[in-house]
Amino acid sequence: MAVNLSDFMDWVVARNPAEEVFHQAVHEVAETVVPYINDNPIYEKIKVLERMAEPDRTISFRVSWADDNGDVQVNRGYRVQFNNSIGPYKGGIRFHPSVNQGVLKFLGFEQTFKNSLTGLPMGGGKGGADFDPKGKSQHEIMRFCQSFMSELYRHIGPNIDVPAGDIGVGGKEIGYMFGQYKRLTNSFEGVLTGKGMEYGGSLMRPEATGYGAVYFLENMLHHRNDAIEGKNAVISGSGNVATHAAEKILHRGGKPLTMSDSGGFIHQPGGFSQEQIDWIKKHKNQRGARISAYADEFSGSSYHEGSRPWGVECDLALPCATQNELNGDEAATLLSNGCMAVSEGANMPCDMDAIGKFLTAGVMYAPGKASNAGGVGMSGLEMSQNSARLHRTEDDLREALKKIMKDIHDACVDSGTISGDKVDYVRGANIAGFKKVADAMLAFGVV
Ligand code: NDP
C-alpha cells in the first residue's frame, strides 16, 4: 500500500506531541522521500520511514553542579541516539536554554541524513542540556561540563557514539568533557571530536562547517556557470559557523556584509575585512560578548538592535545562527532584493514557508543537511585519524573538505535535477541521504 504523506505526518505528530521542530524536520524530509518510497515499494514493505522517524533511544539525565556562590543548580542533559545503521552515532552537543527533547530529536534526525551524505561511516545523534553558558564563569562552565560527562560517559565510546560541539559548545567545553571522560574511564580514545590539537584534534575542524557551506555555495554557482567573486553576501550569526563562512566568502572575492547575534545585526557596507572578521572571532570568544560592540569599534558600520539581517540587499544569503531564523516574509524580501542563492550554515534556519518561496522562485537553495555537512565530514576524518594514530596536514584536509562538499553537491544533482542546470537540492539531499541508510536497514532485517 502506498504511503500517504498526510497520514504519515498525523502519525508522527500523535506520537511526538509538542515537538514542533521535530515534526517540521520530519515533514521536510517526508515531503520528498514519500514519492520516492512509493516508486520503490520495498521500503514501504519494511516500514523504513516509520522506523527512521523513531530514535533508537533517547537518554535524559540530571546534571547537578555548584555555582561560584556554592548554590546547587540543576539542569537536564540529553543524548538522542537516533540511528546507527551506517556507523556509530555522531552529532554535536548543544548548551542553550532552549534545548529540550524535541529540539534534539529534530537535530538528531537531520544529522542521520547529513552524515549519510558525507559518504563516511557515521550514524546520527545529538545531545545537549538546557544550560546557558552566557554569564557563567569558566569554573562554572568546567564544573557543568564535568557533571554532564559524569553521566554521558557510560553511553558513548569511539565505536558507539562520538559527540562533538554545537551552539554553546566549543573547544574549551570539549576539552573539559574529554578530560572528565578520560578520568572516569582511564582511557585515552577518540570519543569526542573538535578536540584541541595537543590531544588528538584535527586541523581544519573549527573552519570546516563555515568553509564547507561556502564550498557548497560555490559548487551550486559553478553548476550555473557563475561564481562568488564580486557578490554581496548577507550572513547571520557570529559564532563558529558564521565567522568562518564570512572568511571564506572574502577569500573567494565576495563581500560579507552582515553578522548577527540574538540581540541584533551589524552591517559593514563594502564588506568585512579579514582584520574585522578576526576582531569578531576574538570578541565573541569572550564570555557574554555582544556583537553590538563592533559598531563602536569600526566606523562606517551600523548596529540594528532587535532585527535580523535579511532586509539588506544581497546576491547570496547564508543563515548561520539557529533554527527558524528566516521566515517566509523575510524570504520574499530577499527575493525581491535579487538574492540568487541561499546556503544554510545552521540547521533548519529557514522555515517551511521560506523554503517554499525559494523553491517556487527557482533560486539556488541548499538545505543545511547538505551545505553544513563539512563540519561533521571533518569530524569523521578526525575519528579515523584518532583510530589510526595519524596526523594529516592542513592542505591535505582542506582538499579533503572540498572533495566532500563537491561529492555531496554532485549527489544532490544526481537525485534532484529538475531540468538542465535546475536542481531541487532539498529533494536531492533527502533522497541521496535516505537511500544509504534505508538500504542498510533493509540489509539488517526488522530490528
Ligand atoms: P555558536 O555557539 O558558535 O554561535 C551561535 C551563533 O548564533 C551566535 O552568534 C548566537 O548569538 C547566534 N544565535 C543563537 N541563537 C540565536 C537566536 N535565537 N537568534 C539569533 N541568533 C542566535 O554556534 P555555531 O556557530 O557552532 O552553530 C550555529 C549553527 O550551525 C547551529 O544551528 C548549529 O547547529 C549549526 N551547525 C554547527 C556546526 C559546527 O561545526 N559548529 C556543524 C553543523 C551545523 P548569541 O551569542 O546571542 O547567542
Side-chain angles (χ1 to χ4, degrees):
M1 212 173 75
V3 183
N4 176 286
L5 176 64
S6 142
D7 292 348
F8 171 72
M9 282 313 303
D10 287 348
W11 178 83
V12 169
V13 171
R15 290 173 67 74
N16 303 280
E19 294 183 348
E20 286 83 7
V21 279
F22 178 58
H23 308 158
Q24 181 184 339
V26 175
H27 190 257
E28 191 253 314
V29 166
E31 221 171 21
T32 50
V33 161
V34 162
Y36 179 75
I37 291 176
N38 288 336
D39 288 342
N40 297 274
I42 182 65
Y43 297 128
E44 196 280 320
K45 197 158 184 287
I46 62 160
K47 294 274 186 292
V48 82
L49 191 58
E50 288 83 345
R51 287 199 275 150
M52 280 168 104
E54 186 68 35
D56 288 354
R57 68 189 64 77
T58 300
I59 301 148
S60 142
F61 50 94
R62 183 182 66 240
V63 187
S64 312
W65 55 285
D67 66 20
D68 287 345
N69 297 323
D71 292 332
V72 173
Q73 305 289 336
V74 181
N75 286 96
R76 186 171 294 163
Y78 303 89
R79 187 71 185 164
V80 179
Q81 297 183 328
F82 218 102
N83 189 306
N84 69 351
S85 298
I86 61 169
Y89 305 106
K90 179 93 198 87
I93 292 178
R94 179 177 290 193
F95 291 161
H96 194 271
S98 64
V99 163
N100 58 40
Q101 186 171 292
V103 167
L104 296 177
K105 278 167 69 178
F106 121 62
L107 289 164
F109 180 79
E110 286 269 303
Q111 194 82 44
T112 303
F113 289 80
K114 182 189 310 193
N115 293 2
S116 163
L117 282 169
T118 65
L120 297 170
M122 298 181 289
K126 201 83 188 186
D130 59 353
F131 169 75
D132 189 356
K134 284 200 198 88
K136 305 289 188 303
S137 71
Q138 264 323 302
H139 278 106
E140 288 175 325
I141 291 175
M142 181 182 76
R143 287 196 293 275
F144 178 82
C145 289
Q146 291 174 340
S147 182
F148 182 82
M149 185 52 86
S150 296
E151 171 60 31
L152 186 67
Y153 86 96
R154 66 187 91 244
H155 307 290
I156 61 177
N159 295 314
I160 302 170
D161 184 350
V162 184
D166 190 73
I167 291 179
V169 178
K172 269 189 195 143
E173 292 75 18
I174 293 287
Y176 297 144
M177 288 191 270
F178 186 77
Q180 183 73 349
Y181 179 87
K182 194 169 66 58
R183 182 160 75 162
L184 291 167
T185 59
N186 191 28
S187 159
F188 190 108
E189 50 194 10
V191 72
L192 291 163
T193 57
K195 299 187 289 300
M197 295 310 137
E198 312 76 20
Y199 60 95
S202 174
L203 292 163
M204 289 298 295
R205 177 62 189 90
E207 294 86 353
T209 307
Y211 281 17
V214 176
Y215 291 147
F216 196 93
L217 177 64
E218 192 168 44
N219 278 298
M220 290 201 295
L221 288 161
H222 283 175
H223 194 66
R224 291 200 188 174
N225 288 318
D226 208 337
I228 291 173
E229 195 173 355
K231 294 197 168 54
N232 289 322
V234 162
I235 299 171
S236 64
S238 48
N240 176 267
V241 180
T243 50
H244 290 107
E247 185 166 278
K248 189 48 73 181
I249 289 281
L250 189 65
H251 293 170
R252 289 295 188 260
K255 294 179 195 141
L257 300 181
T258 64
M259 278 195 240
S260 69
D261 64 18
S262 48
F265 77 91
I266 49 165
H267 180 200
Q268 179 70 57
F272 299 111
S273 64
Q274 184 65 54
E275 181 205 350
Q276 289 163 334
I277 294 171
D278 289 344
W279 186 92
I280 296 169
K281 280 186 193 170
K282 207 165 152 209
H283 175 71
K284 284 287 283 189
N285 258 340
Q286 295 161 29
R287 190 163 44 87
R290 303 286 74 210
I291 198 70
S292 54
Y294 178 92
D296 301 328
E297 187 74 18
F298 294 100
S299 60
S301 66
S302 53
Y303 174 63
H304 305 260
E305 173 117 33
S307 303
R308 302 198 279 213
W310 314 123
V312 174
E313 245 174 72
C314 65
D315 309 296
L316 313 169
L318 291 107
C320 296
T322 193
Q323 64 267 17
N324 290 330
E325 53 158 322
L326 198 168
N327 64 29
D329 291 344
E330 290 162 322
T333 305
L334 280 168
L335 291 168
S336 66
N337 281 338
C339 178
M340 59 159 73
V342 180
S343 180
E344 293 186 339
N347 286 309
M348 212 169 73
C350 299
D351 73 10
M352 296 287 271
D353 193 14
I355 297 172
K357 289 209 163 61
F358 292 139
L359 294 181
T360 306
V363 297
M364 291 163 261
Y365 164 73
K369 64 171 75 71
S371 48
N372 73 30
V376 74
M378 202 49 51
S379 282
L381 301 183
E382 183 174 332
M383 284 166 74
S384 54
Q385 290 176 79
N386 290 165
S387 301
R389 304 269 195 273
L390 262 179
H391 173 76
R392 292 176 72 169
T393 64
E394 189 173 328
D395 285 349
D396 174 26
L397 288 164
R398 189 179 301 104
E399 290 313 307
L401 175 61
K402 280 190 203 160
K403 181 167 178 345
I404 288 172
M405 299 315 295
K406 172 144 186 10
D407 289 349
I408 297 174
H409 175 269
D410 294 352
C412 292
V413 171
D414 279 350
S415 299
T417 292
I418 303 165
S419 63
D421 61 5
K422 289 227 157 43
V423 182
D424 178 344
Y425 287 94
V426 176
R427 183 156 63 89
N430 287 342
I431 291 174
F434 168 84
K435 202 174 165 337
K436 190 169 164 197
V437 179
D439 287 344
M441 290 172 78
L442 193 59
F444 302 146
V446 179
V447 287

